[in-house]
Amino acid sequence: MLPAEADIPVPQAEQRLRALQRQPALFGPDVAEVEWIETHISWLLLAGDRVYKFKKPLKLDFLDFSTRALRRAACEEELRINRRTAPSLYLGLVGLSGTAAQGLRLQPLEQAPQDAEPAVCMRRFAQDDLLLQRLQDGQLGGADMDALACEIARFHASAAVAGTAQGWGTPLAVQAPVRDCLAALQAQADSGWAALVPALQSLAPWCQQQGAALAPVFEARRLAGRVRECHGDLHLGNLVLLEGQPQAFDAIEFNPALRWIDVVADIAFLVMDLQARDRADGAWRFLDGWLAQEGDFAGMAVLRYYTVYRALVRARVAGMRATQALPASAQAMARAECAQYLALACQCMQPRSAELWLTHGLSGSGKSTQALGLVQARGVVRLRADVERKRLFGLTPGEDSTAIDGGIYTPQATERTYEHLRQQARLVLQSGYTVLVDASFLDPAMRAPFLALAQELGVVCRILAFEAPLAVLRERVRARQQAGGDPSEADEAVLLAQWAARQPFSAAEQGHVLRVDTTRAVDWDHLLPAAHTK
């Protein structure tokens, strides 16, 4: 950390805001009390239904708020980038002028004197609506992860794509913040924090080796437009439920290099955060939904690297807190948190045993329902034929395909869909993850290329054969059609055609088949021991 260089000393700036806090009437006639929150770079005053965020006059190795002009520019940038995801939350800018002795004044920034201290004015929300709080209260479920995945995918799709002038997303730009985190943590280890040494001895060479090995991938993704103006700090503490919809706020405004990043680097923060809070099921549910919207299965090649990086970021921040002038209990908590995130980083860098799983079953057999359960319980990547088929024709998962000339269910379209699934499965397997291809796979000719792929890559292939009586299948298909919103468009006529054309597995396939009765609760721990996915 560099020494502070400010146009106003930090203690003096804090004293001025403390004086403002003691005058709630300056915030409006209905404000009786003003609450105070402090972060390592900001002060927040909570007054009535508003929040006023002032930036500390600091110059650190990753930001510069040392002059009023820089703080104003940062406030303007914060307003711009956060209105992309939470426009109703970010109301505008205000300026604080005057002194405690002569009188303070808070007014819209455009009406304030030139020397006014700038701040971002936000609409206040209930702390219970933070996704972090909802998780701690046991209120964060799968539907929340689905909605969040759709929202973040929508945001990424509309985000500005990085050009070439600034060098965002180059291999050097990707590796630099990882090295910075490791260097900062190593400095703390060298200063006497010996407990950090074992983890860093494993992480440093792994990050260097992986950074070099993935350099061509980073560059290819940059050229493919996957580096965008993202959020940069996408964790549960920066996500809130507003009017029933999850929204991201508090994006990184102080350092553009930390938000002009690969979209996978953006979601990796949330994936890591959920894992750190013992909600790996939520992490995989979110990732599954985001991939269904984005189709960026090639991004799995860099997910592990970025997840390790995000854990290092959290370890570094906790390490910084541990060295600040805090009560002994708070310092001990920060040290424990730093160790926790380093342990998670070490866990994330461990390779997994990749396998290829194929679903098999008629419409209504429970393939997609059971597949989603496996995604959450086993941490596998799902490729859903109903979704990928529509993607090939430019449709979103929930769109009706009837407007497509010629339809999307012709033999040619089906062959194209399965070939696409095979290509994407290859990418995921080569990235070191088990992939679950969620398709009917009723035709042996469609299964054969996937069995060959598993043999080529030297991975285990399993065929999960989901079964139920015809009457049950018909009832499920009818119920699905009535409910609507499902990517599958198979109706009862399709089901009956499938039933009539079904074929037994060949002798060569029998060794790969795992039969699953979906008329009862499926015990995956018994049918498919977790050891197979480690």
Side-chain angles (χ1 to χ4, degrees), residues 370 374 378 514 516-517 520-529:
Q370 293 297 333
L374 282 171
R378 300 300 178 86
L514 180 66
V516 184
D517 180 359
R520 62 186 69 185
V522 179
D523 184 355
W524 286 111
D525 290 335
H526 173 72
L527 287 175
L528 192 62

Side-chain angles (χ1 to χ4, degrees), residues 130-137 140 236-237 239 273 277:
L130 276 175
L131 295 200
L132 176 57
Q133 188 61 51
R134 288 178 61 82
L135 180 142
Q136 293 171 348
D137 293 341
L140 196 64
L236 292 170
L239 292 160
D273 196 28
R277 300 179 191 282

Side-chain angles (χ1 to χ4, degrees), residues 46 98 123 165 200 220 248 255 329 340 374 448 489 506:
L46 285 61
R123 178 164 67 89
L200 292 174
N255 188 339
S329 60
Q340 173 196 0
L374 282 171
E489 295 178 316
S506 68

Side-chain angles (χ1 to χ4, degrees), residues 166-483:
Q166 291 80 16
W168 311 130
T170 63
L172 181 62
V174 169
Q175 296 171 59
V178 178
R179 287 197 297 267
D180 290 345
C181 285
L182 289 168
L185 290 162
Q186 187 62 53
Q188 291 185 312
D190 294 342
S191 67
W193 195 346
L196 302 183
V197 172
L200 292 174
Q201 286 179 337
S202 297
L203 286 161
W206 184 89
C207 289
Q208 182 177 3
Q209 185 274 328
Q210 285 293 302
L214 290 170
V217 183
F218 296 142
E219 181 63 10
R221 289 183 61 77
R222 183 182 72 87
L223 295 176
R226 304 310 293 164
V227 175
R228 304 193 171 199
E229 189 178 29
C230 295
H231 184 280
D233 202 18
L234 199 63
H235 56 78
L236 292 170
N238 287 340
L239 292 160
V240 62
L241 199 65
L242 294 178
E243 299 174 355
Q245 292 296 319
Q247 295 185 28
F249 68 99
D250 206 17
I252 290 181
E253 86 286 354
F254 53 79
N255 188 339
L258 298 180
R259 70 173 182 273
W260 282 94
I261 55 176
D262 192 311
V263 291
V264 172
D266 213 26
I267 65 164
F269 212 146
L270 181 56
V271 169
M272 181 280 301
D273 196 28
L274 285 160
Q275 290 176 337
R277 300 179 191 282
D278 295 323
R279 284 298 305 272
D281 63 317
W284 285 101
R285 177 83 175 244
F286 166 77
L287 181 63
D288 179 74
W290 185 84
L291 286 170
Q293 297 293 324
E294 288 275 315
D296 188 10
F297 294 98
M300 295 301 298
V302 295
L303 178 64
R304 183 174 287 110
Y305 182 86
Y306 284 130
T307 306
V308 170
Y309 162 53
R310 292 309 193 178
L312 288 173
V313 169
R314 277 302 181 86
R316 180 185 183 184
V317 171
M320 289 172 58
R321 287 204 310 274
T323 61
Q324 293 174 347
L326 299 172
S329 60
Q331 286 187 335
M333 187 177 298
R335 282 175 171 262
E337 188 176 318
C338 180
Q340 173 196 0
Y341 282 112
L342 280 178
L344 178 60
C346 290
Q347 177 185 332
C348 289
M349 75 180 188
Q350 297 303 317
R352 296 162 61 96
S353 177
E355 296 185 0
L356 174 60
W357 298 350
L358 311 178
T359 65
H360 173 279
L362 307 177
S363 296
S365 61
K367 298 186 301 297
S368 295
T369 299
Q370 293 297 333
L372 181 56
L374 282 171
V375 165
Q376 296 179 101
R378 300 300 178 86
V380 300
V381 177
R382 177 170 63 154
L383 279 161
R384 193 171 179 183
D386 291 324
V387 171
E388 297 308 310
R389 182 189 296 266
K390 289 186 175 182
R391 192 189 316 282
L392 290 173
F393 285 87
L395 300 174
T396 62
E399 279 189 90
D400 190 339
S401 69
T402 55
I404 300 295
D405 187 26
I408 68 172
Y409 295 97
T410 64
Q412 294 80 9
T414 296
E415 184 176 349
R416 179 186 173 197
T417 298
Y418 275 77
E419 175 57 23
H420 171 73
L421 291 170
R422 191 179 67 85
Q423 292 172 359
Q424 301 307 301
R426 176 187 290 275
L427 291 175
V428 177
L429 289 168
Q430 290 175 331
S431 299
Y433 294 91
T434 291
V435 59
L436 174 57
V437 186
D438 178 4
S440 61
F441 278 112
L442 299 176
D443 186 346
M446 295 299 181
R447 298 192 294 268
F450 288 84
L451 292 168
L453 174 64
Q455 184 174 15
E456 175 193 343
L457 298 181
V459 301
V460 171
C461 182
R462 302 180 185 279
I463 302 174
L464 309 181
F466 297 99
E467 300 173 342
L470 180 58
V472 173
L473 299 177
R474 296 176 78 163
E475 182 180 346
R476 289 175 178 173
V477 168
R478 292 189 197 119
R480 185 174 64 196
Q481 280 196 296
Q482 290 175 359

